[in-house]
Amino acid sequence: MKVLIPAAGLGTRLYPITKYIPKPLLPLDSYTTVLDNIINNLLSIKLIKFDDIVVGIKSEDYIKFTDRSPINSPRMYLYSDKLSGYEHSGFNDLIEMYKKYGKNEDVFILSADHLISRQDLFNFVNQSLQHSKTIPHKNFDYARIAYIKDNDENHILNAGQLFMNSDKSYGEEFVYNLHEKPGKILSKKVACSLYYIPANYYSFVMSYLNSYMEENYKEFGDIINVLLKYDLKIATYKIRDYWIDIGEFSRWMQAIEIFNK
């Protein structure tokens, strides 16, 4: 199992703050960055170990992070290979990370600049890995994406909007469509940057990544509709506590308030 955390985005919506510090290294208190919190939460899940975690980076600030972070361990390594042929972004780092680490691995993907509750993260991982045990006649693993019911119109317009229906034979809700930033509100069910991609989906994901340049895909969320073209199942997990995309100053302030409660 691998956990991929793309952290190489440019953070343009938080400029000029992100001119000096990457979004994942923004503080939540005097000791804890957004990335600290994510890794701490991951390590609270006993199924996940340090050597499962790959963090994609774009600057030397992350080297400083590992030097001072209380959670640093040589078993956690940072992925910083230079890209070629792509405009630099967190998504493009994720392409290279998945190609290198995704083969024959169940992969969890979460963004380095989001705040998600420890309980929701645990529930997501547990539900993704345990569903086959609860439905023994279903022996084909399937993907999962987290979502939140959102009432912030501005955020909905700048997010992927999910459409899903129930399948009683699985006891799950499955995605049948995702619109990435459609410019209007089609659904208030907003996709969170939290994914589970099982090992048996690797070849399908690679077919998507190999067509990335030709089809001008922009977001990792686009992969959902590509998988749907292959009639592959993508289950959902509804965020029950909180999830915040720290893409704007006001949301960073909101994340600090929630974290320190």
Side-chain angles (χ1 to χ4, degrees):
M1 179 170 60
K2 283 287 181 285
V3 180
L4 305 183
I5 307 176
L10 299 177
T12 53
R13 288 181 292 163
L14 267 170
Y15 192 84
I17 297 171
T18 47
K19 181 179 180 180
Y20 305 101
I21 182 169
K23 270 195 298 182
L25 299 188
L26 291 173
L28 295 171
D29 63 17
S30 300
Y31 305 99
T32 311
T33 68
V34 177
L35 184 57
D36 280 321
N37 180 62
I38 290 171
I39 296 175
N40 276 328
N41 285 346
L42 285 168
L43 294 176
S44 73
I45 303 170
K46 301 306 180 185
L47 293 169
I48 295 174
K49 300 173 291 187
F50 264 114
D51 55 4
D52 294 328
I53 299 171
V54 183
V55 182
I57 66 171
K58 76 178 183 70
S59 75
E60 292 182 356
D61 291 310
Y62 291 93
I63 305 304
K64 298 174 185 177
F65 163 79
T66 61
D67 288 341
R68 68 109 191 109
S69 175
I71 60 176
N72 181 43
S73 163
R75 292 176 296 168
M76 187 192 81
Y77 46 99
L78 301 177
Y79 178 76
S80 57
D81 288 6
K82 293 183 178 179
L83 302 176
S84 59
Y86 301 101
E87 180 183 350
H88 200 94
S89 72
F91 170 58
N92 295 326
D93 267 359
L94 181 55
I95 290 176
E96 299 302 315
M97 291 163 71
Y98 188 82
K99 285 180 178 179
K100 185 169 183 177
Y101 298 108
K103 191 172 184 180
N104 300 320
E105 294 275 5
D106 294 329
V107 173
F108 287 93
I109 298 167
L110 66 160
S111 176
D113 57 1
H114 293 175
L115 187 74
I116 182 172
S117 76
R118 179 171 295 189
Q119 188 63 54
D120 274 315
L121 187 56
F122 172 82
N123 289 345
F124 181 86
V125 171
N126 189 59
Q127 193 170 332
S128 298
L129 295 178
Q130 297 298 320
H131 70 82
S132 60
K133 294 181 180 179
T134 61
I135 311 176
H137 65 285
K138 307 294 183 183
N139 57 13
F140 188 77
D141 205 0
Y142 47 75
R144 189 174 301 274
I145 183 173
Y147 76 95
I148 191 169
K149 188 75 176 291
D150 204 330
N151 292 311
D152 183 334
E153 292 190 3
N154 183 58
H155 185 245
I156 296 172
L157 291 171
N158 288 286
Q161 300 172 29
L162 278 177
F163 298 83
M164 60 194 74
N165 51 32
S166 297
D167 186 327
K168 292 183 180 179
S169 67
Y170 284 83
E172 296 262 26
E173 285 191 321
F174 291 93
V175 178
Y176 68 83
N177 203 349
L178 182 146
H179 287 281
E180 274 288 358
K181 303 176 183 177
K184 57 183 178 180
I185 297 176
L186 303 173
S187 168
K188 290 189 176 182
K189 295 174 179 177
V190 170
C192 305
S193 295
L194 177 57
Y195 305 89
Y196 167 66
I197 309 293
N200 55 307
Y201 277 29
Y202 182 79
S203 61
F204 301 104
V205 175
M206 290 307 300
S207 70
Y208 156 72
L209 296 181
N210 290 334
S211 64
Y212 167 77
M213 293 298 287
E214 292 77 9
E215 299 195 32
N216 197 30
Y217 290 119
K218 300 287 187 183
E219 308 285 345
F220 195 79
D222 288 323
I223 198 173
I224 297 301
N225 288 323
V226 174
L227 295 178
L228 291 173
K229 289 180 181 178
Y230 292 107
D231 294 323
L232 297 174
K233 286 190 174 294
I234 303 151
T236 60
Y237 171 79
K238 182 180 180 180
I239 297 292
R240 291 167 173 80
D241 198 354
Y242 61 81
W243 171 85
I244 300 172
D245 175 5
I246 307 174
E248 300 163 355
F249 184 80
S250 61
R251 286 191 167 256
W252 177 28
M253 294 298 101
Q254 183 185 4
I256 290 174
E257 181 180 354
I258 289 175
F259 179 79
N260 288 282
K261 278 185 178 179

